[in-house]
Amino acid sequence: MYPILALALLFTAKIKQMSKSNIHFTLSFAEPHAHYVDVQMEIHGFDSDYIEVKMPVWTPGSYLIREYSRHVESFQAVSENRSIAWQKTAKNTWRVANSSSPLQINYRIYGFEASVRTNFIDSDHAFISPAATFLYIDGHLNHPTTLSVKLPEQWSRISTGLDKVEDKENCFYAPDFDILFDSPLELGNQDIWSFDAAGIPHEFAMVGGGKYDKHKLTSDIQKIVEEETRIWGENPNKRYVFVTHNYQSAFGGLEHLNSTILASSRNAYSNENTYKNYLSLVAHEYFHLWNVKRLRPKALGPFDYEQENYTTGLWIMEGFTSYYDNLIIRRCGFFSPKEYLNVLSNDFNLVYNRPGYKLQSAALSSFDTWIKHYRPDENSANTGISYYNKGAILTVALDIKIIAETAGQYCLDYVLRAAYELFYKQENRGFEEDEFQTLAERVTGVDLSEIFTAAHSTKELDYNTYFHAVGHELIDLNEDSQELSLGIKTGVQDGKIIIKQIERGSGAWDAGLQVNDELIGINGIRLDIAGKELDNILTHAEVDEVVDVLVSRDGLLRTIHSPLRRSAKQQWCIRERSEATDHEITLGKIWLSIE
């Protein structure tokens, strides 16, 4: 049989099987105050002796094995009111004897972790993270499913990117489990309003209160949507949903195919700086609508939900997005050029004030995200960097180099649009990094190899080579600082000064001070929790002077002899260059969108 004919027959058989099979979920809440959601999974029409159902161990966009199945309890299988035999065969797998009659699987999920990637249920609302909630039948990730939600009587609203099933109340449809797992649900009494942007209906949902101005938020976010749509050339959604969880203090987000979940402080909207940070967060997660959810490395889809999906390309996906989020806020006029340069400088500070930048490349940081990024410890700053910040500073070099070498005719926008058109729209596949580089160089005519090579190396670029080309310079304001430091970060616990971090290569590192040591005194002087005595000692000491540090380690007193060294803290600033030529100034205005 010819391969094409075999595939055609296989596809036809698959369609016939799916037409007679059915998967339906029902969510209900018997005890939302106790943080439970009850899940019923109805299965019909699968011809096999048994069915294996599985739960994902991670959720796309958040690269950590989270073991969602640990929150599953009260698993049952029934058919026509009789129990069906089942066996748990792996941490996230249940094997259930199949039945000729409809099979019903019931289970409960405990959810009480307030984040954008995990279930949270209480008496006020429920946030349902689908990968942490819904089982799938092994081998049938591409099967369509429907979902009904039975709201508690005190709740009245549902926000989700899933399509509604016509003529059925609170019923939704997903064409496959990839879509289902990428479509979170917010259930409760959230404040909802709608608006159009870039010709697309958008829904906005606010959870947890907050001092926000709907009209201003709508107007400002419309500008962000319009600018991002202009960059990419089209908006691929027919509808988009924003959900913001407002807390006393929070910040973050997670992208989805046609929705995003944000976390913010409920007071962020009444302060100019925190409001702009929130707009930058919106710009970041919305940018992922294209960059990650559609334009993506090969490893990021189709997904294996049972194990890590490795890629070295997160510096492109998150790094590019972390560069563009603030640049878009600048283009929309929310940041002045000076404000934008300050927030861009912060990326350099975040990279270069972590000694780990000498040990870990942006590409390795991407690959190791599964074991490092979401599991920081007291030594993380000494061993690695974030592909968000390192990716962002590599991206500004790319953008500036393209602008400078094409005399402002091209910028990174053109590369993104071309990559989206080729890899997503035309070929519908993920890319390899070398393919992305080749496309970028073909579109712009610029050799970008130095920057792509730097992403896989701990050798740093000379960033002023790029900034000078657009009339700016990157300088370390602390370069000539005489400030001394032990090289530690401390915190106060129960009135005690506790060492929380020790900087690699510092006097404290070499002397053998340890994290969790209680810092009691230096040179016979007892230290105060306000830090005044330590500041006084550092102010009047000499470089390489050895001080006697009295600590309590696990209840035992000891004195550590530690040298004082110049502080390694860097304070980077991007500013206009006084020696810039008229041409360089013109290119700088193009980069910063200055009329």
Side-chain angles (χ1 to χ4, degrees):
M1 184 179 294
Y2 291 103
I4 294 178
L5 179 58
L7 286 173
L9 291 174
L10 179 63
F11 181 74
T12 301
K14 185 176 181 182
I15 293 298
K16 289 180 178 179
Q17 165 66 20
M18 291 172 62
S19 66
K20 66 178 182 178
S21 60
N22 179 264
I23 302 174
H24 179 76
F25 291 96
T26 301
L27 298 182
S28 58
F29 299 86
E31 295 182 300
H33 58 280
H35 320 301
Y36 281 96
V37 56
D38 299 286
V39 186
Q40 182 184 92
M41 181 182 189
E42 297 175 79
I43 301 168
H44 177 71
F46 286 84
D47 299 326
S48 59
D49 294 334
Y50 62 85
I51 288 175
E52 282 196 334
V53 290
K54 295 176 174 285
M55 177 162 281
V57 301
W58 69 287
T59 189
S62 183
Y63 308 104
L64 176 69
I65 300 299
R66 296 186 181 275
E67 311 293 18
Y68 289 128
S69 58
R70 64 196 170 99
H71 292 305
V72 175
E73 60 182 76
S74 303
F75 188 95
Q76 295 178 329
V78 297
S79 179
E80 295 184 339
N81 297 319
R82 60 186 178 87
S83 295
I84 300 296
W86 61 272
Q87 178 186 10
K88 192 168 186 182
T89 59
K91 64 182 180 181
N92 67 323
T93 305
W94 293 259
R95 177 174 291 182
V96 182
N98 201 2
S99 169
S100 58
S101 301
L103 177 65
Q104 183 176 302
I105 296 174
N106 302 315
Y107 57 98
R108 309 189 83 199
I109 298 284
Y110 179 80
F112 196 52
E113 182 181 348
S115 82
V116 296
R117 60 190 73 86
T118 51
N119 286 324
F120 182 91
I121 303 123
D122 67 9
S123 56
D124 294 327
H125 77 112
F127 170 63
I128 302 300
S129 176
T133 305
F134 300 112
L135 301 174
Y136 66 93
I137 300 176
D138 190 27
H140 294 277
L141 277 169
N142 60 346
H143 197 287
T145 183
T146 50
L147 164 66
S148 295
V149 180
K150 295 182 179 179
L151 293 173
E153 62 179 13
Q154 68 269 28
W155 300 351
S156 61
R157 295 181 173 179
I158 300 174
S159 297
T160 181
L162 289 171
D163 289 333
K164 293 182 178 179
V165 175
E166 293 184 7
D167 303 324
K168 290 188 178 181
E169 184 179 11
N170 297 341
C171 186
F172 303 90
Y173 169 79
D176 55 50
F177 276 79
D178 287 317
I179 298 297
L180 179 65
F181 291 148
D182 207 19
S183 303
L185 298 98
E186 175 62 34
L187 316 173
N189 297 305
Q190 59 271 27
D191 184 12
I192 299 175
W193 70 95
S194 299
F195 58 89
D196 286 347
I200 306 297
H202 290 70
E203 178 184 304
F204 214 90
M206 282 289 197
V207 184
K211 299 179 180 179
Y212 50 86
D213 182 330
K214 293 183 184 180
H215 297 293
K216 180 173 177 55
L217 265 175
T218 297
S219 176
D220 291 346
I221 291 172
Q222 283 174 325
K223 293 177 183 177
I224 293 170
V225 171
E226 297 285 352
E227 172 60 19
E228 295 193 4
T229 302
R230 185 198 65 78
I231 291 170
W232 292 93
E234 69 171 17
N235 196 308
N237 283 323
K238 62 179 182 180
R239 176 173 166 268
Y240 193 89
V241 179
F242 292 95
V243 176
T244 301
H245 292 139
N246 291 308
Y247 302 96
Q248 185 174 18
S249 178
F251 189 80
L254 186 63
E255 71 276 3
H256 298 281
L257 190 68
N258 68 337
S259 64
T260 185
I261 306 299
L262 310 173
S264 180
S265 166
R266 61 177 60 95
N267 296 316
Y269 315 100
S270 55
N271 176 281
E272 183 179 2
N273 290 331
T274 54
Y275 178 64
K276 290 177 181 179
N277 288 340
Y278 175 76
L279 292 180
S280 180
L281 175 63
V282 169
H284 183 104
E285 300 305 337
Y286 200 82
F287 201 80
H288 278 316
L289 185 164
W290 297 271
N291 198 41
V292 167
K293 301 314 301 184
R294 290 166 175 85
L295 176 64
R296 56 176 175 76
K298 281 188 175 178
L300 298 185
F303 295 116
D304 183 339
Y305 293 101
E306 293 197 85
Q307 61 184 358
E308 297 87 348
N309 293 231
Y310 291 106
T311 176
T312 58
L314 291 178
W315 74 271
I316 296 177
M317 312 322 296
E318 292 293 355
F320 279 34
T321 305
S322 294
Y323 168 66
Y324 266 97
D325 54 18
N326 288 318
L327 184 64
I328 287 162
I329 299 306
R330 164 64 206 130
R331 289 181 181 178
C332 291
F334 304 127
F335 279 149
S336 68
K338 183 177 180 180
E339 286 176 315
Y340 171 66
L341 293 177
N342 285 340
V343 295
L344 180 59
S345 299
N346 193 48
D347 283 316
F348 286 88
N349 287 320
L350 289 170
V351 171
Y352 292 129
N353 282 304
R354 293 176 64 100
Y357 82 87
K358 298 178 182 178
L359 298 178
Q360 188 183 52
S361 68
L364 184 57
S365 175
S366 301
F367 191 86
D368 279 348
T369 184
W370 294 94
I371 56 175
K372 287 183 177 287
H373 182 73
Y374 293 96
R375 290 174 175 166
D377 59 29
E378 67 280 351
N379 200 41
S380 292
N382 291 318
T383 62
I385 47 91
S386 166
Y387 48 82
Y388 285 81
N389 310 120
K390 187 61 181 288
I393 67 176
L394 289 165
T395 309
V396 69
L398 280 171
D399 196 19
I400 288 176
K401 186 173 179 67
I402 293 169
I403 291 170
E405 296 206 9
T406 64
Q409 295 301 305
Y410 290 94
C411 65
L412 192 55
D413 295 11
Y414 291 84
V415 174
L416 294 179
R417 196 175 306 138
Y420 172 79
E421 179 69 28
L422 175 63
F423 297 122
Y424 172 67
K425 293 186 66 179
Q426 294 182 19
E427 300 184 359
N428 191 27
R429 66 176 178 89
F431 61 81
E432 300 287 1
E433 281 184 66
D434 59 344
E435 291 183 302
F436 191 94
Q437 179 185 341
T438 298
L439 179 141
E441 293 176 338
R442 175 174 58 79
V443 168
T444 63
V446 177
D447 180 0
L448 303 171
S449 58
E450 180 183 51
I451 302 168
F452 278 89
T453 298
H456 290 261
S457 170
T458 55
K459 182 179 179 181
E460 291 301 306
L461 294 170
D462 178 2
Y463 284 95
N464 271 326
T465 300
Y466 304 95
F467 282 116
H468 287 183
V470 290
H472 287 74
E473 60 183 351
L474 175 71
I475 61 170
D476 178 10
L477 299 177
N478 283 354
E479 185 176 12
D480 298 322
S481 173
Q482 302 302 307
E483 182 181 349
L484 299 182
S485 171
L486 266 173
I488 61 174
K489 290 184 179 180
T490 62
V492 177
Q493 291 179 207
D494 300 325
K496 301 174 182 179
I497 306 170
I498 307 297
I499 296 178
K500 296 295 186 181
Q501 290 183 17
I502 298 179
E503 184 179 285
R504 182 187 295 273
S506 66
W509 176 281
D510 290 342
L513 284 166
Q514 293 184 9
V515 168
N516 295 327
D517 282 352
E518 178 192 352
L519 197 58
I520 298 174
I522 296 180
N523 288 347
I525 299 174
R526 185 174 182 85
L527 300 180
D528 62 306
I529 60 175
K532 294 180 181 179
E533 293 294 347
L534 179 57
D535 289 343
N536 185 59
I537 291 169
L538 295 174
T539 300
H540 294 92
E542 300 291 334
V543 176
D544 294 328
E545 178 180 333
V546 176
V547 295
D548 298 330
V549 183
L550 178 64
V551 301
S552 172
R553 183 176 296 170
D554 193 30
L556 300 177
L557 296 178
R558 65 179 66 195
T559 299
I560 307 292
H561 309 293
S562 176
L564 297 177
R565 295 178 182 156
R566 283 197 174 91
S567 172
K569 182 179 180 180
Q570 302 177 41
Q571 186 179 347
W572 292 97
C573 170
I574 303 170
R575 65 186 184 187
E576 294 179 356
R577 186 166 174 256
S578 58
E579 301 89 349
T581 66
D582 289 343
H583 179 65
E584 290 167 347
I585 292 171
T586 298
L587 293 178
K589 290 180 177 179
I590 292 173
W591 170 47
L592 296 174
S593 299
I594 300 173
E595 296 295 335

